Amino acid sequence: LVMLKISVITVSFNQGRYIRDNIESILSQDYPEFEHIIIDGGSTDDTVSILKQYPHLLWTSEKDRGQSDGLNKGFRRATGDVIAWINSDDMLAPGAMKALNEFFTANPDKYVVTGNQILIDGDGNQLSVVKAQPFTADHLLNGVKTSVMQNSTFFRKEVLDTVGHLDESFHYTMDHEFFVRISKQFQSYTLPVDLAKFRLWEESKTCSSQIKFFKELIRVKRLHGARLFSKGNVWVAWQFVKEPFKRIGFLRTMVRRIKGVK
């Protein structure tokens, strides 16, 4: 049986609360051909003391220029056949590595695959499962609700060698811009298997920085030649229009009443 080497890249900064869960989810895969590279941005909590407890890790802890810089350091260090990008507060699902090895060995002509994503809360409780969806450049640039499930999307190292690394000028949409470049050159596929767990919690970047995200999303669209008139642009415009209403109590109440929501 062919066993492809899987490189797991994790960036971390003051994630001592979750980093052990991340590490253990990869150690418990029962898959020997892997490396786990953790790039820590100079954490001041107990992250480093936790990292020191795992001799198998390839890790550094030093100040960096942000998440994109850290990920690129990890990408450059990766030696595996397949790349996994798992954020410090997220995890691999049980059996993910074996499922990935089976997919990529059985499909030598396929380079990118997305699996199902389990959504969990801050305490690790399962909320729901999001089914895998393929992605295209046209959909990412012009469609509605176009985010790629980054932590349950995996690709061969040849993809990195072809499209390059993350654009470090992006801090909120670096993964979106990265997957636009990937989808311009590689077809994506899906695997109907739970491959990763994505944590939704009150301090995560996903939950706390929506307007900054949408501003960068507009820049991605311009950079890659998105259509001016598209459902995606209408949707992004609506995000800016509705944001002030969220901040004004009586307007929010009025809108809810108009919609018939108590």
Side-chain angles (χ1 to χ4, degrees), residues 40-41 133 171-172 175 179 218 229 235 254:
D40 181 73
Q133 295 288 336
H171 300 285
Y172 296 89
D175 52 343
F179 286 119
I218 291 171
F229 300 104
W235 180 73
M254 184 174 66

Side-chain angles (χ1 to χ4, degrees), residues 74-132:
F75 286 154
R76 286 191 289 268
R77 195 168 178 179
T79 62
D81 305 293
V82 175
I83 306 296
W85 165 4
I86 307 295
N87 290 327
S88 54
D89 51 352
D90 300 331
M91 294 179 280
L92 276 184
M97 285 186 174
K98 288 182 177 178
L100 288 168
N101 186 65
E102 290 174 4
F103 174 84
F104 282 115
T105 54
N107 300 280
D109 59 331
K110 296 178 180 179
Y111 289 81
V112 183
V113 67
T114 299
N116 299 340
Q117 183 179 81
I118 303 169
L119 300 182
I120 60 175
D121 65 15
D123 297 319
N125 302 308
Q126 181 170 324
L127 301 173
S128 61
V129 177
V130 182
K131 298 297 184 182

Side-chain angles (χ1 to χ4, degrees), residues 10 15 28 61 95 100 102 152 174 182-183 197 205 240 251:
T10 297
Q15 286 289 336
S28 63
S61 181
L100 288 168
E102 290 174 4
S152 60
M174 67 281 192
I182 287 176
S183 58
K197 297 182 180 182
K205 191 190 295 188
F240 285 96
L251 287 176

Side-chain angles (χ1 to χ4, degrees), residues 31-242:
Y31 187 87
E33 288 297 315
F34 79 96
E35 62 182 5
H36 191 183
I37 302 166
I38 297 184
I39 308 297
D40 181 73
S43 291
T44 55
D45 64 359
D46 59 347
T47 296
V48 172
S49 64
I50 294 172
L51 299 182
K52 289 178 178 178
Q53 297 171 26
Y54 294 94
H56 74 285
L57 293 175
L58 304 172
W59 65 275
T60 59
S61 181
E62 60 187 14
K63 190 172 182 179
D64 56 32
R65 298 188 301 274
Q67 188 177 12
S68 299
D69 177 37
L71 278 160
N72 282 342
K73 289 179 181 178
F75 286 154
R76 286 191 289 268
R77 195 168 178 179
T79 62
D81 305 293
V82 175
I83 306 296
W85 165 4
I86 307 295
N87 290 327
S88 54
D89 51 352
D90 300 331
M91 294 179 280
L92 276 184
M97 285 186 174
K98 288 182 177 178
L100 288 168
N101 186 65
E102 290 174 4
F103 174 84
F104 282 115
T105 54
N107 300 280
D109 59 331
K110 296 178 180 179
Y111 289 81
V112 183
V113 67
T114 299
N116 299 340
Q117 183 179 81
I118 303 169
L119 300 182
I120 60 175
D121 65 15
D123 297 319
N125 302 308
Q126 181 170 324
L127 301 173
S128 61
V129 177
V130 182
K131 298 297 184 182
Q133 295 288 336
F135 55 91
T136 64
D138 180 66
H139 177 64
L140 293 179
L141 292 171
N142 302 303
V144 176
K145 296 182 180 180
T146 56
S147 59
V148 175
M149 295 191 297
Q150 154 262 309
N151 68 323
S152 60
T153 299
F154 306 82
F155 46 89
R156 296 183 188 270
K157 192 170 186 298
E158 291 93 329
V159 172
L160 270 185
D161 297 336
T162 301
V163 307
H165 297 161
L166 296 174
D167 183 335
E168 295 179 17
S169 69
F170 293 98
H171 300 285
Y172 296 89
T173 61
M174 67 281 192
D175 52 343
H176 194 88
E177 193 276 335
F178 179 62
F179 286 119
V180 169
R181 280 187 278 131
I182 287 176
S183 58
K184 284 183 174 183
Q185 301 198 54
F186 297 94
Q187 183 175 345
S188 77
Y189 297 87
T190 59
L191 193 57
V193 175
D194 298 343
L195 293 184
K197 297 182 180 182
F198 181 81
R199 195 183 303 269
L200 293 171
W201 56 290
E202 63 279 1
E203 295 180 27
S204 69
K205 191 190 295 188
T206 305
C207 295
S208 63
S209 306
Q210 286 192 341
I211 289 300
K212 292 178 181 177
F213 170 87
F214 289 119
K215 286 181 178 179
E216 283 199 358
L217 184 59
I218 291 171
R219 189 154 66 90
V220 173
K221 288 171 174 286
R222 288 175 174 170
L223 178 65
H224 289 284
R227 295 195 302 272
L228 179 60
F229 300 104
S230 68
K231 291 182 178 179
N233 281 348
V234 171
W235 180 73
V236 170
W238 170 240
Q239 307 311 307
F240 285 96
V241 170
K242 74 177 184 179

